[in-house]
């Protein structure tokens, strides 16, 4: 996956960033398994890690955070949690206005 390639080329990388990328990947797996509440929690953990990592200002990290917000929005849509979906989608667009998801 692209995220793993990103993880391999970014050096040095903080424990927070590594944990955030892992949480996002685990969230993706839970989403595929339709374990949406667990996916939302993993995306929340990922977003916290992206925000707290020393690399948080890098474009690549911001892009990963935008994807995590968009993925949370997708979870909320499937759960029919409309206000949360709108808030997560707005957060994704704030990070990356070109995000069409």
């Amino acid at each position: 996956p692209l995220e793993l390639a990103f993880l391999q080329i970014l050096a040095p990388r903080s424990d927070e960033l590594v944990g955030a990328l892992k949480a996002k990947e685990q969230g993706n797996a839970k989403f595929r398994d339709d374990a949406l509440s667990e996916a939302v929690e993993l995306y929340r953990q990922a977003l916290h890690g992206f925000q707290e990592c020393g690399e948080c200002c890098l474009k690549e990290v911001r892009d990963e955070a935008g994807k995590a917000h968009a993925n949370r929005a997708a979870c909320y849509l499937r759960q029919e949690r409309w206000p949360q979906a709108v808030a997560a989608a707005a957060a994704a667009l704030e990070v990356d206005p070109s995000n069409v998801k």
Side-chain angles (χ1 to χ4, degrees):
L2 177 61
E3 290 82 8
L4 295 180
F6 163 68
L7 180 63
Q8 292 171 352
I9 63 171
L10 183 65
R13 55 190 174 273
S14 65
D15 290 342
E16 291 86 1
L17 177 57
V18 171
L21 289 168
K22 285 181 182 178
K24 182 178 162 284
E25 285 301 313
Q26 291 171 343
N28 292 347
K30 293 295 183 182
F31 182 84
R32 285 189 296 274
D33 292 341
D34 210 33
L36 301 176
S37 294
E38 293 174 56
V40 166
E41 174 57 23
L42 286 161
Y43 292 136
R44 185 199 64 75
Q45 291 173 20
L47 288 164
H48 179 76
F50 290 136
Q51 184 178 21
E52 296 299 316
C53 74
E55 303 90 345
C56 65
C57 295
L58 295 176
K59 181 186 182 322
E60 292 86 355
V61 175
R62 289 192 315 270
D63 289 347
E64 291 300 316
K67 292 174 192 174
H69 281 297
N71 293 350
R72 266 178 48 161
C75 289
Y76 290 138
L77 285 173
R78 279 184 154 178
Q79 294 175 320
E80 298 182 359
R81 296 171 61 187
W82 313 125
Q84 294 91 338
V86 169
L93 288 172
E94 187 174 316
V95 174
D96 179 8
S98 68
N99 187 333
V100 294
K101 277 188 173 181

